[in-house]
Short mmCIF file of all heavy atoms in Angstrom, two decimals:
data_model
loop_
_atom_site.label_atom_id
_atom_site.label_comp_id
_atom_site.label_asym_id
_atom_site.label_seq_id
_atom_site.Cartn_x
_atom_site.Cartn_y
_atom_site.Cartn_z
N LEU A 1483 4.88 3.57 -1.64
CA LEU A 1483 5.98 2.73 -1.16
C LEU A 1483 5.94 1.35 -1.83
O LEU A 1483 6.97 0.82 -2.21
CB LEU A 1483 5.93 2.59 0.35
CG LEU A 1483 6.20 3.88 1.16
CD1 LEU A 1483 6.04 3.60 2.65
CD2 LEU A 1483 7.58 4.43 0.87
N ALA A 1484 4.74 0.79 -1.91
CA ALA A 1484 4.62 -0.52 -2.56
C ALA A 1484 5.06 -0.47 -4.01
O ALA A 1484 5.79 -1.34 -4.50
CB ALA A 1484 3.17 -1.00 -2.46
N GLY A 1485 4.64 0.58 -4.71
CA GLY A 1485 5.05 0.72 -6.11
C GLY A 1485 6.54 0.91 -6.27
O GLY A 1485 7.13 0.39 -7.22
N ALA A 1486 7.17 1.61 -5.35
CA ALA A 1486 8.61 1.87 -5.45
C ALA A 1486 9.41 0.64 -5.07
O ALA A 1486 10.59 0.53 -5.48
CB ALA A 1486 8.99 3.02 -4.51
N GLN A 1487 8.83 -0.29 -4.34
CA GLN A 1487 9.53 -1.53 -4.00
C GLN A 1487 9.42 -2.55 -5.13
O GLN A 1487 10.35 -3.34 -5.34
CB GLN A 1487 8.94 -2.15 -2.71
CG GLN A 1487 9.31 -1.40 -1.45
CD GLN A 1487 8.83 -2.10 -0.21
OE1 GLN A 1487 9.61 -2.57 0.62
NE2 GLN A 1487 7.52 -2.22 -0.06
N ASP A 1488 8.30 -2.55 -5.84
CA ASP A 1488 8.06 -3.54 -6.89
C ASP A 1488 9.11 -3.39 -8.00
O ASP A 1488 9.25 -2.33 -8.61
CB ASP A 1488 6.66 -3.39 -7.49
CG ASP A 1488 5.57 -3.80 -6.52
OD1 ASP A 1488 5.90 -4.48 -5.53
OD2 ASP A 1488 4.41 -3.43 -6.74
N GLY A 1489 9.83 -4.42 -8.25
CA GLY A 1489 10.79 -4.44 -9.36
C GLY A 1489 12.05 -3.69 -9.12
O GLY A 1489 12.90 -3.58 -10.00
N ALA A 1490 12.24 -3.11 -7.92
CA ALA A 1490 13.46 -2.36 -7.64
C ALA A 1490 14.63 -3.31 -7.43
O ALA A 1490 14.50 -4.33 -6.76
CB ALA A 1490 13.26 -1.48 -6.40
N ALA A 1491 15.78 -2.97 -7.99
CA ALA A 1491 16.98 -3.74 -7.78
C ALA A 1491 17.63 -3.26 -6.48
O ALA A 1491 18.22 -2.19 -6.43
CB ALA A 1491 17.96 -3.55 -8.94
N THR A 1492 17.49 -4.04 -5.44
CA THR A 1492 17.96 -3.62 -4.12
C THR A 1492 18.44 -4.79 -3.32
O THR A 1492 17.96 -5.91 -3.51
CB THR A 1492 16.83 -2.90 -3.36
OG1 THR A 1492 17.29 -2.55 -2.06
CG2 THR A 1492 15.57 -3.73 -3.28
N ALA A 1493 19.41 -4.53 -2.45
CA ALA A 1493 19.91 -5.58 -1.57
C ALA A 1493 19.11 -5.69 -0.28
O ALA A 1493 19.44 -6.52 0.56
CB ALA A 1493 21.38 -5.25 -1.20
N PHE A 1494 18.09 -4.87 -0.16
CA PHE A 1494 17.29 -4.84 1.06
C PHE A 1494 15.93 -5.49 0.84
O PHE A 1494 15.35 -5.36 -0.25
CB PHE A 1494 17.16 -3.41 1.57
CG PHE A 1494 18.44 -2.82 2.02
CD1 PHE A 1494 19.29 -2.15 1.12
CD2 PHE A 1494 18.88 -3.00 3.32
CE1 PHE A 1494 20.50 -1.65 1.54
CE2 PHE A 1494 20.10 -2.47 3.75
CZ PHE A 1494 20.91 -1.82 2.85
N PRO A 1495 15.42 -6.16 1.86
CA PRO A 1495 14.16 -6.92 1.69
C PRO A 1495 12.95 -6.01 1.55
O PRO A 1495 12.87 -4.95 2.17
CB PRO A 1495 14.08 -7.72 3.00
CG PRO A 1495 14.82 -6.91 3.99
CD PRO A 1495 15.95 -6.29 3.23
N ALA A 1496 12.03 -6.44 0.70
CA ALA A 1496 10.79 -5.69 0.53
C ALA A 1496 9.86 -5.98 1.67
O ALA A 1496 9.84 -7.09 2.25
CB ALA A 1496 10.12 -6.08 -0.79
N ALA A 1497 9.06 -4.98 2.02
CA ALA A 1497 8.06 -5.15 3.09
C ALA A 1497 6.67 -4.98 2.49
O ALA A 1497 6.42 -4.08 1.72
CB ALA A 1497 8.27 -4.10 4.17
N THR A 1498 5.79 -5.91 2.83
CA THR A 1498 4.38 -5.77 2.49
C THR A 1498 3.72 -4.97 3.61
O THR A 1498 3.71 -5.39 4.76
CB THR A 1498 3.72 -7.14 2.36
OG1 THR A 1498 4.40 -7.90 1.34
CG2 THR A 1498 2.26 -7.00 1.93
N LEU A 1499 3.15 -3.83 3.26
CA LEU A 1499 2.58 -2.92 4.23
C LEU A 1499 1.07 -2.96 4.20
O LEU A 1499 0.46 -3.01 3.11
CB LEU A 1499 3.06 -1.49 3.98
CG LEU A 1499 4.56 -1.23 4.03
CD1 LEU A 1499 4.88 0.23 3.70
CD2 LEU A 1499 5.14 -1.59 5.41
N THR A 1500 0.47 -2.90 5.37
CA THR A 1500 -1.00 -2.88 5.48
C THR A 1500 -1.38 -1.83 6.52
O THR A 1500 -0.83 -1.79 7.62
CB THR A 1500 -1.56 -4.25 5.95
OG1 THR A 1500 -1.06 -5.27 5.06
CG2 THR A 1500 -3.07 -4.25 5.92
N LEU A 1501 -2.36 -0.98 6.16
CA LEU A 1501 -2.91 -0.04 7.11
C LEU A 1501 -4.12 -0.70 7.76
O LEU A 1501 -5.03 -1.14 7.08
CB LEU A 1501 -3.33 1.25 6.39
CG LEU A 1501 -2.18 2.17 5.97
CD1 LEU A 1501 -2.69 3.23 5.00
CD2 LEU A 1501 -1.54 2.83 7.19
N GLU A 1502 -4.12 -0.73 9.08
CA GLU A 1502 -5.22 -1.37 9.81
C GLU A 1502 -5.99 -0.28 10.57
O GLU A 1502 -5.46 0.38 11.44
CB GLU A 1502 -4.67 -2.41 10.78
CG GLU A 1502 -3.93 -3.54 10.06
CD GLU A 1502 -3.36 -4.54 11.02
OE1 GLU A 1502 -3.19 -4.21 12.21
OE2 GLU A 1502 -3.07 -5.69 10.59
N GLY A 1503 -7.26 -0.10 10.20
CA GLY A 1503 -8.09 0.89 10.87
C GLY A 1503 -8.87 1.68 9.85
O GLY A 1503 -8.53 1.75 8.67
N ALA A 1504 -9.94 2.30 10.32
CA ALA A 1504 -10.79 3.10 9.45
C ALA A 1504 -10.45 4.59 9.66
O ALA A 1504 -10.17 5.01 10.79
CB ALA A 1504 -12.26 2.85 9.77
N PRO A 1505 -10.50 5.37 8.54
CA PRO A 1505 -10.90 4.97 7.19
C PRO A 1505 -9.74 4.60 6.29
O PRO A 1505 -9.94 4.47 5.06
CB PRO A 1505 -11.61 6.22 6.69
CG PRO A 1505 -10.89 7.35 7.34
CD PRO A 1505 -10.47 6.84 8.69
N GLU A 1506 -8.52 4.38 6.83
CA GLU A 1506 -7.38 4.02 5.95
C GLU A 1506 -7.65 2.77 5.14
O GLU A 1506 -7.33 2.74 3.94
CB GLU A 1506 -6.11 3.83 6.80
CG GLU A 1506 -5.49 5.09 7.33
CD GLU A 1506 -5.99 5.45 8.70
OE1 GLU A 1506 -7.07 4.91 9.13
OE2 GLU A 1506 -5.34 6.24 9.38
N ASP A 1507 -8.21 1.72 5.78
CA ASP A 1507 -8.42 0.48 5.06
C ASP A 1507 -9.43 0.67 3.91
O ASP A 1507 -9.32 0.01 2.85
CB ASP A 1507 -8.87 -0.65 6.00
CG ASP A 1507 -10.05 -0.26 6.89
OD1 ASP A 1507 -10.59 0.85 6.71
OD2 ASP A 1507 -10.39 -1.06 7.77
N ARG A 1508 -10.34 1.58 4.08
CA ARG A 1508 -11.32 1.86 3.01
C ARG A 1508 -10.63 2.46 1.79
O ARG A 1508 -10.86 2.05 0.65
CB ARG A 1508 -12.36 2.85 3.57
CG ARG A 1508 -13.46 3.23 2.62
CD ARG A 1508 -14.46 4.16 3.33
NE ARG A 1508 -15.59 4.51 2.49
CZ ARG A 1508 -16.84 4.57 2.93
NH1 ARG A 1508 -17.11 4.29 4.18
NH2 ARG A 1508 -17.81 4.91 2.10
N PHE A 1509 -9.75 3.43 2.02
CA PHE A 1509 -9.01 4.06 0.92
C PHE A 1509 -8.00 3.07 0.30
O PHE A 1509 -7.80 3.06 -0.91
CB PHE A 1509 -8.29 5.31 1.41
CG PHE A 1509 -9.19 6.45 1.74
CD1 PHE A 1509 -9.08 7.10 2.95
CD2 PHE A 1509 -10.15 6.90 0.83
CE1 PHE A 1509 -9.91 8.17 3.29
CE2 PHE A 1509 -10.99 7.98 1.15
CZ PHE A 1509 -10.85 8.62 2.37
N ALA A 1510 -7.36 2.26 1.16
CA ALA A 1510 -6.41 1.29 0.65
C ALA A 1510 -7.08 0.29 -0.27
O ALA A 1510 -6.52 -0.13 -1.30
CB ALA A 1510 -5.74 0.58 1.81
N ALA A 1511 -8.28 -0.13 0.07
CA ALA A 1511 -9.05 -1.07 -0.78
C ALA A 1511 -9.34 -0.44 -2.14
O ALA A 1511 -9.25 -1.12 -3.19
CB ALA A 1511 -10.33 -1.49 -0.08
N ALA A 1512 -9.72 0.82 -2.16
CA ALA A 1512 -9.98 1.51 -3.41
C ALA A 1512 -8.71 1.59 -4.27
O ALA A 1512 -8.76 1.34 -5.49
CB ALA A 1512 -10.53 2.91 -3.14
N LEU A 1513 -7.58 1.91 -3.66
CA LEU A 1513 -6.33 1.97 -4.42
C LEU A 1513 -5.95 0.61 -4.96
O LEU A 1513 -5.49 0.49 -6.11
CB LEU A 1513 -5.22 2.51 -3.51
CG LEU A 1513 -5.27 4.02 -3.22
CD1 LEU A 1513 -4.41 4.35 -2.02
CD2 LEU A 1513 -4.80 4.80 -4.45
N ALA A 1514 -6.12 -0.43 -4.16
CA ALA A 1514 -5.78 -1.80 -4.61
C ALA A 1514 -6.64 -2.23 -5.79
O ALA A 1514 -6.21 -3.00 -6.64
CB ALA A 1514 -5.92 -2.76 -3.46
N ALA A 1515 -7.86 -1.71 -5.83
CA ALA A 1515 -8.78 -2.07 -6.93
C ALA A 1515 -8.62 -1.16 -8.14
O ALA A 1515 -9.37 -1.30 -9.09
CB ALA A 1515 -10.23 -1.99 -6.42
N GLY A 1516 -7.63 -0.26 -8.09
CA GLY A 1516 -7.40 0.62 -9.22
C GLY A 1516 -8.39 1.76 -9.31
O GLY A 1516 -8.52 2.38 -10.36
N GLN A 1517 -9.09 2.02 -8.21
CA GLN A 1517 -10.08 3.11 -8.20
C GLN A 1517 -9.49 4.39 -7.62
O GLN A 1517 -8.45 4.36 -6.96
CB GLN A 1517 -11.30 2.69 -7.38
CG GLN A 1517 -11.99 1.44 -7.92
CD GLN A 1517 -13.01 0.88 -6.91
OE1 GLN A 1517 -13.13 1.37 -5.80
NE2 GLN A 1517 -13.72 -0.17 -7.32
N ASP A 1518 -10.13 5.51 -7.91
CA ASP A 1518 -9.68 6.79 -7.36
C ASP A 1518 -10.23 6.94 -5.96
O ASP A 1518 -11.44 7.09 -5.76
CB ASP A 1518 -10.19 7.94 -8.24
CG ASP A 1518 -9.79 9.29 -7.72
OD1 ASP A 1518 -8.98 9.35 -6.78
OD2 ASP A 1518 -10.29 10.31 -8.25
N PRO A 1519 -9.39 6.88 -4.94
CA PRO A 1519 -9.89 6.95 -3.55
C PRO A 1519 -10.51 8.31 -3.22
O PRO A 1519 -11.34 8.40 -2.32
CB PRO A 1519 -8.65 6.70 -2.71
CG PRO A 1519 -7.51 7.11 -3.59
CD PRO A 1519 -7.93 6.79 -4.97
#
């Protein structure tokens, strides 16, 4: 979802999404660092 919002030409506001809780935050950190979760 974050990738699809980045740079999209749209009239609707982008949302910054965060997953709170384990183990989602662990996988999200790996993805943000460009690692294979």
Side-chain angles (χ1 to χ4, degrees):
L1483 292 177
Q1487 288 185 115
D1488 290 345
T1492 176
F1494 293 89
T1498 302
L1499 300 177
T1500 306
L1501 286 166
E1502 299 179 340
E1506 286 92 342
D1507 50 6
R1508 181 178 184 139
F1509 289 129
L1513 285 163
Q1517 300 168 354
D1518 179 9

